[in-house]
Amino acid sequence: MSEAQSSERIEDWVAKEGKARSAAGKGNGGRGGKRKLWIILAAVIVLLVIALIFLIGHFVTKKKTGTPLGNIMYLSGLDVMCGPNGIAPMEDGSFLVTDVFGKKIWKADMTGAEVYAGAATEKDPSGEPLGGYKDGSLEESLFKEPWAIVPFLDGYAVSDTKNNAVRLVRGSTVETVNGSSDVLEMGDMGVIFDQPTGLAADDQGRLFVADTARGTIYVITEQGRVEVYEEGLVRPMGLCWADGALYVAETGENRILQIKDGSMIVLAGTGEEGDDNGIASKATFSSPQGVTVGDDGAVYVSDTVNGTVRRIKDGMVDTVLEYAGDALSTYPTSPVGMCYKDHALYVCDVFSRRVYVLVQE
């Protein structure tokens, strides 16, 4: 074979190889394009599946956290920077709400809110008002930590926790409930409690005070005597009087108690920490701090650390409202004070800065 023929064959081979590679490249390019298309389609399908799972979970959660009472609303007029902790109804249809952040008492309804008692004070470095201790006019009075509030006598009793006092808001003034006592120390401003929190008043003119640090419930009689009503408890906080009985949220023991005719029973709770519903004697709570009773005799509990509102009825415990983990403005995170009025349950939540209104259908 001549050198010329050999060169022609090499050129022919190179040409054929180039065509083959070009054709292969076109084929691979087509397969590559199809592969990219399948990848895109697969990604779209995955995203659709994720979205579907989210929607299903969203609706399941909504169903789980729905309330058997009916609709959930807010006391929309209280759209202010505050920490609502206690609530009491007024005769005109509005509510008085204690504010542990602003150290004030607000008057609020669905249309607006205004300061009812408590003057403005200096703020700490974080911006929280310092509060104080001063009796006098509503405008000039000072509170350190107004915790609970209940109608009492011709006004409203307020537990001022950090001042270790019980205050009385009536007419145009704020005063300290002085009273007299053989079991508690007396100071210049009256009886000295030790972290008073929950309050309840009965129909005989008596006021019950949960003295949390002492584990004691005191009663202030019509004559102004401060006496021991129940002792030996572990950090009692929420109180409510209804149908001749005192209901107690024993926060430190995760139990709900009923005291009637001198006898105390455990209404619900094993004493263990948890969030189990079911038979009342086997149910569990986590630091419940609020309690109230509905028109039908059902007992409602602010299960504070669990971020839920529970109901005790007919020997069973269920959940009527709980935090879903999706938005602080939608579900409670730390419910405390409660009251029931006109077929509706009102629940104060300090951290959500809301007063929830659960309307019974």
Side-chain angles (χ1 to χ4, degrees):
M1 179 182 297
S2 66
E3 184 177 345
Q5 288 176 330
S6 176
S7 177
E8 287 178 1
R9 288 188 178 183
I10 292 174
E11 290 177 357
D12 289 343
W13 179 85
V14 171
K16 289 180 181 180
E17 186 69 15
K19 290 180 180 180
R21 291 185 178 181
S22 177
K26 290 180 181 180
N28 289 335
R31 287 193 295 271
K34 291 180 180 179
R35 186 180 297 110
K36 290 180 180 179
L37 179 60
W38 279 112
I39 291 173
I40 293 173
L41 288 174
V44 171
I45 292 172
V46 170
L47 290 175
L48 289 174
V49 170
I50 292 174
L52 182 60
I53 292 173
F54 173 80
L55 289 174
I56 292 174
H58 178 73
F59 286 114
V60 168
T61 300
K62 289 294 183 183
K63 182 177 180 181
K64 176 183 177 183
T65 57
T67 167
L69 294 184
N71 298 322
I72 305 173
M73 300 185 297
Y74 311 111
L75 192 61
S76 54
L78 196 66
D79 187 19
V80 294
M81 182 63 177
C82 72
N85 197 87
I87 184 169
M90 302 188 77
E91 292 184 357
D92 63 2
S94 59
F95 295 85
L96 290 183
V97 181
T98 60
D99 175 6
V100 295
F101 175 81
K103 281 68 175 179
K104 298 177 181 179
I105 298 172
W106 294 84
K107 181 180 180 180
D109 56 22
M110 286 296 185
T111 61
E114 61 182 2
V115 176
Y116 188 79
T121 64
E122 295 183 1
K123 299 179 180 180
D124 66 15
S126 68
E128 181 176 351
L130 295 172
Y133 192 179
K134 181 180 179 180
D135 286 340
S137 67
L138 297 178
E139 298 79 12
E140 296 177 346
S141 61
L142 295 175
F143 300 86
K144 193 69 173 180
E145 188 179 43
W147 204 91
I149 184 169
V150 295
F152 180 59
L153 299 179
D154 53 350
Y156 297 85
V158 178
S159 56
D160 195 355
T161 305
K162 289 187 177 179
N163 278 325
N164 292 321
V166 175
R167 319 286 291 280
L168 182 60
V169 181
R170 58 178 174 179
S172 60
T173 62
V174 174
E175 57 188 296
T176 298
V177 177
N178 292 297
S180 59
S181 178
D182 297 328
V183 294
L184 290 176
E185 180 184 353
M186 298 291 294
D188 294 338
M189 304 293 282
V191 174
I192 300 175
F193 294 94
D194 195 353
Q195 297 180 24
T197 54
L199 298 174
D202 66 8
D203 49 7
Q204 299 176 24
R206 299 184 298 174
L207 180 68
F208 300 90
V209 182
D211 206 28
T212 303
R214 289 192 179 100
T216 302
I217 297 174
Y218 294 103
V219 58
I220 303 176
T221 68
E222 292 179 280
Q223 295 74 33
R225 296 286 297 171
V226 180
E227 302 172 351
V228 173
Y229 187 75
E230 190 69 47
E231 58 186 344
L233 305 178
V234 182
R235 299 193 64 78
M237 298 189 81
L239 297 183
C240 177
W241 180 272
D243 302 322
L246 182 68
Y247 294 85
V248 183
E250 190 183 12
T251 308
E253 282 291 336
N254 304 303
R255 305 186 302 181
I256 308 303
L257 311 175
Q258 181 193 67
I259 305 174
K260 187 173 185 179
D261 298 329
S263 299
M264 184 177 72
I265 64 171
V266 177
L267 194 65
T270 64
E272 298 295 325
E273 187 173 2
D275 59 355
D276 299 316
N277 286 326
I279 299 173
S281 61
K282 297 182 179 180
T284 55
F285 301 86
S286 184
S287 297
Q289 295 184 21
V291 63
T292 194
V293 179
D295 295 335
D296 60 354
V299 179
Y300 297 94
V301 180
S302 284
D303 196 6
T304 308
V305 173
N306 279 327
T308 63
V309 176
R310 315 280 288 281
R311 177 176 60 178
I312 306 168
K313 185 177 181 181
D314 300 327
M316 301 293 291
V317 176
D318 65 353
T319 298
V320 297
L321 185 66
E322 70 179 308
Y323 175 50
D326 56 355
L328 293 180
S329 61
T330 306
Y331 295 101
T333 55
S334 185
V336 184
M338 317 172 79
C339 74
Y340 195 97
K341 180 177 174 58
D342 297 333
H343 307 291
L345 178 66
Y346 294 79
V347 183
C348 294
D349 191 305
V350 177
F351 289 100
S352 292
R353 302 198 303 275
R354 296 270 190 175
V355 175
Y356 296 93
V357 185
L358 284 67
V359 181
Q360 190 167 28
E361 294 180 339

